[in-house]
Amino acid sequence: MVESNRGHLLPIYVLADESGSMMNHIDDLNDGLRSLHQALLGEPMAAAKVRLSVLGFSDDVIERVHLVDLRSANEFPLLRTRGMTSYAAAFEDLITRIPVDIAGLKAEGYQVHRPAVFFLTDGVPNMGEDWYDARRRLTDRTLTLGAPNIIACGISDADAEIISQVATQPEFGFVANEGVDVGPAIAKFCTALTKSVIASGRSLTSASPQLVVDKPENFTLAIDVI
Amino acid sequence: MNDARTQPEGGEPAEPVQEPALSVEPEPVTDDLARLWRPLKVGEPLPLFEPKPPSGLSYRPDTVCDGWSTKELHLRLASVRGYQHRADGSPREDDVAAAWDRRTGTVVFAVADGVSAAEQPHIGSQLACRSAVETMLAQVREGDGFVADWDHLLKTVRWQLVEQTRRILRHSEAGAEQTARLLATTLVAGTATPAEGEVRIQLVSIGDSGAWQIKRENFFQVVGGKMAGADGLVSCAVDPLPFISGVIRPTSFPLEQGTVLLVGTDGFGDPLGDGAGEVATLFRARLRQPVPPLGLAHLLDFSRETFDDDRTLVVLWLRTETPGGRP
C-alpha cells in the first residue's frame, strides 16, 4: 500500500510561446531554462518540493518536460518555434492535464499544493480566437481540479491588457518595459522564475506556505500599463 | 540547551521523582558521537549539511529540550530548528514553554509557530508561549487547577504581542495589522489537571498547530492541524495570532490510561499526516513510554525529504507503575 504522506509537492508548469515570432529568441529561453535547472541543483531541499513541466504552445501544446524532479533531471528537451499563438489550445491542454497530474502525484502518496503556471508570450493570441472561456474554466476551482495560479509575462508585442486578463491576480501579470530587448527580457523572466521556484519550494512546509512570485527585472505590472 | 520556561512553581517539586530512570545503565563511551546522533532516516532523507548560524541580534538556540515528572504526569518537550532554516541561516521560529502549579499539580504548556511571512516570527512564538504559560498559571492558581477564562487568556497573549510590536516599532498606535506583519504566530495552549481520579486535558488552538493522542496504537487528532481544501489540495490558509475569530472554546477530555498526548506545530503535524505513514509508525513505537528529553529532540529531528520545517512537540504520559525516563 502506498503511503499517503510521502511529502508535499508544488507542481509548476512553464507554458512558453513557441510561435514563429519567437524564432530569434527561443535559444535565450532554452538557455534560461538550463540556468533554472542548474540553480535548482544547488537548492536540493527546495527542488525536492517542486515538480516542473515545460510545455510549448503554438497551434497546440507539446510537452517538453513532464513533472520532472529537477534533482535527477538530465538535459531539458529544447523548445522549438512553430505555428501560431493559440491561447485557447494552451488553456484547454491544462484543463485536461492538471487534474490527471494531480491525481498521479496523490496516487504516489504526495500531498499536492495548488499548481502554478508561468505563462510567457511574445505576442497577441490568434485573431478572433475565444480563449477567455477556456481560461475561465481552467481557473474556476469548482470546475477544474487543481485550478492553477497563473503568472503571465508578456514581452515584445504582448498586450498588457491581455496579459492582465490571463493572470489570476493583478500582481501576477507582468509586461516587459518598452524598449527592453527581447533576449534580455527572457533572461530576466527566467531569473525571476528561478527565484520564484526556489522561494516557493522553501516556503512550502513553513507555517505560511505560499506561492512566491518574483517580479522580473525591467518588467512592470501589466495592470499598471493598461 | 534550554530556553524554554519549565521551572516548577515554588522551587522543588512537592513529590520528587523516586523511580529509577528508564535508561538504568549509562551507555559505554563511544568514539563516534557523530554517528550516534545522526538524524533518524524516514523514507528518503534530506541531504546532510553543516547548519548555518541563525541570523538575528539575540541568541536563539537550534534545539531546546526539557523534561520532568509530577506526581501524575511525565512531561517531555523539544523544539528543533528546521533543516531549511539551518540551510539558509534563519532562526528557529517555533517555540515551547511549560510549567507546573505545585498546589494543584496542574501542568500548563504551550507551543507556537511563528509565521514565516512575518518579520520577527521567532519573537512572536516565544512571546506567545511565555505569556500563555504565565497567564494559564495565574488562572490555575486562582481557579483550583483550571483555566476559567480562555478568552481572557488569548486576549492577554494578543495584547502582549501588540505591546511588543509597539515597543519594537516605537509606534504607540500600532495595531493588529502591524502586529501580524511583525510577530504573527500560531498557538496551542493547554492544561493537564489532576482532579477526581483523572487527569483532565483542556486545549485551545489558534492556527494550524495541533494536538494528537496515541491511543490503542493509533493516532487521533484532537485539535488544530491543516485541513485539505474541497479539491483535496493542501490548504495554505493560516489564521494566526493576533487575529482571534470569535470566542474560542477549549477542547476538554480526560487523558486515559495507556494514552499519550502530543501537542505540536505543523512541522510535526505535516509529516505525521493522517497518522498512517512511516513518521506515525516511528513515533508510535518510540513514545510508548517516556523517553529522555534529549531522546525526544533526537527523535523529532528525523530526516525525511520535503519535510524541513521547524518541529516542536510537548508529550504527556500518565504516570503509572512504569518508571519515568530521565536522561
Side-chain angles (χ1 to χ4, degrees):
Chain A
M1 193 174 96
V2 176
E3 188 180 351
S4 64
N5 199 33
R6 285 176 61 194
H8 283 225
L9 291 182
L10 174 65
I12 291 181
Y13 298 83
V14 176
L15 186 57
D17 190 340
E18 289 186 322
S19 63
S21 57
M22 284 287 285
M23 182 179 294
N24 294 328
H25 314 296
I26 204 74
D27 289 344
D28 295 320
L29 190 51
N30 284 322
D31 287 347
L33 292 176
R34 271 194 291 272
S35 299
L36 178 147
H37 183 201
Q38 288 302 313
L40 267 291
L41 288 176
E43 292 276 352
M45 281 194 291
K49 289 178 271 184
V50 170
R51 293 292 181 271
L52 185 78
S53 284
V54 178
L55 308 172
F57 78 94
S58 61
D59 300 313
D60 58 6
V61 171
I62 294 181
E63 179 183 85
R64 304 297 185 185
V65 174
H66 176 67
L67 291 183
V68 68
D69 180 342
L70 290 162
R71 298 169 302 169
S72 56
N74 296 319
E75 280 288 291
F76 276 11
L78 299 177
L79 293 161
R80 297 181 192 283
T81 51
R82 61 201 174 86
M84 303 290 283
T85 310
S86 174
Y87 287 17
F91 298 145
E92 290 289 358
D93 179 89
L94 289 176
I95 287 172
T96 52
R97 178 184 299 276
I98 287 178
V100 173
D101 285 352
I102 288 177
L105 291 172
K106 289 173 80 78
E108 290 178 39
Y110 291 105
Q111 302 287 311
V112 183
H113 289 248
R114 184 167 303 287
V117 174
F118 286 80
F119 178 89
L120 176 71
T121 182
D122 74 333
V124 292
N126 291 340
M127 185 81 75
E129 180 183 76
D130 177 17
W131 55 271
Y132 296 95
D133 186 59
R135 188 267 182 207
R136 179 190 60 77
R137 285 182 282 118
L138 171 63
T139 56
D140 186 332
R141 296 184 182 186
T142 65
L143 294 177
T144 301
L145 173 66
N149 293 303
I150 301 178
I151 299 90
C153 292
I155 54 176
S156 192
D157 295 329
D159 182 279
E161 186 161 358
I162 291 175
I163 291 298
S164 176
Q165 290 166 343
V166 170
T168 47
Q169 293 183 37
E171 62 270 30
F172 287 174
F174 306 100
V175 287
N177 294 343
E178 206 167 324
V180 173
D181 288 339
V182 175
I186 289 174
K188 297 298 184 191
F189 165 80
C190 290
T191 302
L193 171 65
T194 302
K195 287 181 182 174
S196 301
V197 171
I198 291 172
S200 299
R202 284 178 176 174
S203 155
L204 210 58
T205 48
S206 70
S208 55
Q210 58 184 316
L211 173 64
V212 181
V213 176
D214 192 80
K215 184 174 87 66
E217 198 178 323
N218 295 331
F219 279 62
T220 303
L221 278 177
I223 196 79
D224 292 340
V225 180
I226 297 170
Chain B
M1 200 165 63
N2 174 18
D3 70 355
R5 305 200 48 173
T6 56
Q7 291 302 312
E9 162 67 11
E12 290 299 308
E15 301 193 34
V17 178
Q18 298 291 328
E19 307 96 322
L22 284 178
S23 302
V24 179
E25 293 294 332
E27 287 290 316
V29 174
T30 173
D31 289 334
D32 193 353
L33 283 177
R35 184 178 179 84
L36 183 67
W37 288 98
R38 275 195 309 195
L40 300 172
K41 284 200 296 185
V42 182
E44 195 64 34
L46 292 152
L48 281 172
F49 60 92
E50 194 60 29
K52 290 181 182 171
S55 58
L57 294 173
S58 58
Y59 175 61
R60 186 76 177 160
D62 179 283
T63 301
V64 300
C65 64
D66 203 353
W68 32 259
S69 299
T70 66
K71 183 180 173 187
E72 291 85 6
L73 290 163
H74 300 290
L75 176 141
R76 305 289 184 268
L77 63 81
S79 181
V80 299
R81 185 160 64 134
Y83 288 89
Q84 183 63 58
H85 287 158
R86 287 173 179 162
D88 63 28
S90 300
R92 176 173 45 86
E93 295 170 355
D94 279 9
D95 216 324
V96 60
W100 174 65
D101 175 54
R102 177 177 183 154
R103 183 175 63 82
T104 62
T106 298
V107 171
V108 302
F109 49 85
V111 303
D113 180 358
V115 174
S116 297
E119 293 169 32
Q120 303 282 351
H122 58 293
I123 296 177
S125 62
Q126 185 180 53
L127 184 59
C129 284
R130 294 185 179 203
S131 60
V133 160
E134 285 173 10
T135 308
M136 283 190 289
L137 209 48
Q139 288 202 38
V140 160
R141 286 191 205 126
E142 292 172 3
D144 235 8
F146 289 94
V147 170
D149 191 344
W150 290 93
D151 197 42
H152 174 71
L153 164 80
L154 293 172
K155 285 177 177 169
T156 301
V157 175
R158 179 175 64 184
W159 179 82
Q160 289 276 7
L161 291 168
V162 172
E163 282 299 305
Q164 185 66 24
T165 298
R166 291 172 176 170
R167 278 193 289 273
I168 292 172
L169 298 180
R170 296 179 183 174
H171 176 23
S172 60
E173 299 298 317
E177 292 297 332
Q178 289 102 322
T179 302
R181 282 197 290 274
L182 191 68
L183 303 177
T185 183
T186 72
L187 176 70
V188 178
T191 56
T193 306
E196 300 175 358
E198 65 177 21
V199 171
R200 179 147 293 268
I201 305 295
Q202 292 196 295
L203 296 166
V204 290
S205 173
I206 303 283
D208 60 8
S209 295
W212 302 263
Q213 290 190 86
I214 305 174
K215 189 189 293 189
R216 297 184 293 278
E217 293 291 305
N218 287 303
F219 270 91
F220 296 91
Q221 187 157 341
V222 180
V223 295
K226 282 195 175 82
M227 305 294 286
D231 52 10
L233 299 181
V234 180
S235 171
C236 298
V238 181
D239 209 3
L241 286 166
F243 302 114
I244 303 171
S245 51
V247 176
I248 307 290
R249 301 191 188 286
T251 300
S252 178
F253 56 93
L255 186 60
E256 297 171 0
Q257 283 292 343
T259 299
V260 184
L261 178 70
L262 300 91
V263 181
T265 58
D266 65 345
F268 170 74
D270 283 354
L272 178 68
D274 61 6
E278 291 185 40
V279 171
T281 301
L282 174 69
F283 278 76
R284 261 199 317 267
R286 299 296 176 96
L287 297 182
R288 287 196 178 97
Q289 293 182 342
V291 293
L294 288 169
L296 179 62
H298 186 226
L299 178 65
L300 195 58
D301 200 29
F302 67 87
S303 180
R304 183 170 211 187
E305 71 170 13
T306 90
F307 295 112
D308 51 27
D309 197 8
D310 300 342
R311 301 180 190 139
T312 297
L313 207 50
V314 172
V315 188
L316 289 175
W317 293 262
L318 277 178
R319 194 131 174 219
T320 63
E321 295 301 315
T322 307
R326 293 291 294 173

